[in-house]
Amino acid sequence: MARTPAAAFRHGIVQSLPFLVVIVPFAVLFGVVATEAGLNLAQVMGFSVLVLAGASQFTAVQLLTDNAPALIVILSGLAVNLRMAMYSASLLPWLRDATPGHKAWVAYALIDQSYALSIQHYEQYPRLTIAQRLAYFGGTALVLCVPWMIATWAGATVGQAIPEGIALDFAMPITFLAMIAPMLRTPAHLAACFVAIVAALALAGLPSGLGLLIAAPLGMATGALVEIRTERKEARDAGVRD
C-alpha cells in the first residue's frame, strides 16, 4: 500500500520475469513457423505487434498455410481471442476509474500472462490506488510484450539456424500451467478447471478451436454455481451458529 507507482511498476517487472522462460521460445517458434508458411518479415512482425496474441497468431498462420479464405482466418483469430473479453470483464472492477487512454493501452497489452499476474495482485491487495494498479500492469506488459516482439523477429530472421532437435513447442502448455496453478485456491476454481478440461478434451475434434469456446463458459458457469452454493452454505452455517 505504501509503494509509489514507480515501485509498483518495478514489482510488476520482477514478478513477470519467470514467464520469459516460456514467452521467448514461444515467440521464436512463431517467427519460425510464420516464415516457413511464406510470410515475409514485415508480415510476421505485423502479427506480433498488432495482434499480440500467440494462440490466435498460430491459428491464423495454420489456416493461411491451409489456404483458408481470409474471412475464415479473421473470424477464427477473433474466436480464439474471445477469452480476452472475459479477462476485460474481470479487470473492469479494478480499473474502472482509469482514463480512456489508460484503458486503451491496457486493452492492447492484455495477454494471458499480464492478466493472470495482475488479477492475482489486485485481489491480494484490494486497497491499491488506480495509479498503483496501472503501474503494476505496465511493469508486466513491458516484460511480457516487448520480448515477445523481439523474439518473434529473432525467430523470423535466424530461426532457420535452430537445430530441429530443440523442441520450442514446449512453451505453450508450460506457460498456461504456470499461470493457472496458483489461481486454483477454492473449490469453485477447482470445479471450473475440471469441467473446462473435461469439456475441452471431449470437444477437441471440433474445428477452429470451437471446443475451447464451448468449454470456457461451461467451466465459468460451473465455478459460479459452486461459488453460489458455497456462499449459501456459509450463510446457513453462520445463521445456525447465531
Side-chain angles (χ1 to χ4, degrees):
M1 287 297 299
R3 284 180 173 159
T4 64
F9 180 78
R10 291 192 294 271
H11 188 201
I13 289 176
V14 171
Q15 290 203 311
S16 303
L17 291 175
F19 282 107
L20 290 179
V21 175
V22 290
I23 285 285
V24 170
F26 193 29
V28 171
L29 179 62
F30 174 74
V32 173
V33 170
T35 302
E36 291 179 348
L39 275 64
N40 59 39
L41 182 59
Q43 292 168 332
V44 175
M45 293 307 300
F47 262 111
S48 280
V49 173
L50 300 176
V51 179
L52 193 60
S56 64
Q57 290 178 218
F58 274 96
T59 299
V61 168
Q62 181 59 52
L63 290 172
L64 288 173
T65 303
D66 295 338
N67 295 316
L71 180 61
I72 297 299
V73 175
I74 294 172
L75 291 178
S76 297
L78 290 173
V80 172
N81 265 4
L82 279 178
R83 69 190 188 282
M84 299 300 168
M86 295 185 284
Y87 294 169
S88 298
S90 176
L91 287 175
L92 180 59
W94 304 102
L95 301 178
R96 189 187 307 274
D97 296 330
T99 66
H102 286 146
K103 290 178 180 177
W105 72 256
V106 168
Y108 170 71
L110 184 62
I111 61 174
D112 298 300
Q113 294 85 354
S114 62
Y115 166 75
L117 287 169
S118 296
I119 195 65
Q120 289 183 71
H121 187 66
Y122 299 162
E123 290 176 350
Q124 186 176 1
Y125 304 103
R127 297 177 61 190
L128 292 173
T129 66
I130 187 64
Q132 289 171 317
R133 291 171 187 163
L134 288 170
Y136 179 87
F137 184 91
T140 68
L142 177 66
V143 172
L144 298 170
C145 297
V146 175
W148 170 265
M149 300 171 190
I150 295 173
T152 296
W153 174 85
T157 55
V158 300
Q160 301 301 322
I162 299 175
E164 293 185 3
I166 298 179
L168 297 176
D169 52 356
F170 78 97
M172 178 178 262
I174 287 181
T175 190
F176 278 96
L177 287 173
M179 289 188 301
I180 293 171
M183 302 179 73
L184 301 179
R185 299 189 299 269
T186 69
H189 293 150
L190 293 170
C193 181
F194 176 78
V195 170
I197 290 173
V198 171
L201 292 174
L203 302 173
L206 296 179
S208 302
L210 182 60
L212 292 177
L213 298 181
I214 298 174
L218 286 177
M220 289 177 10
T222 301
L225 181 61
V226 172
E227 185 71 23
I228 291 171
R229 290 186 175 180
T230 300
E231 290 178 354
R232 288 177 178 174
K233 183 178 182 299
E234 290 176 350
R236 287 197 302 268
D237 293 344
V240 170
R241 287 194 297 270
D242 293 341

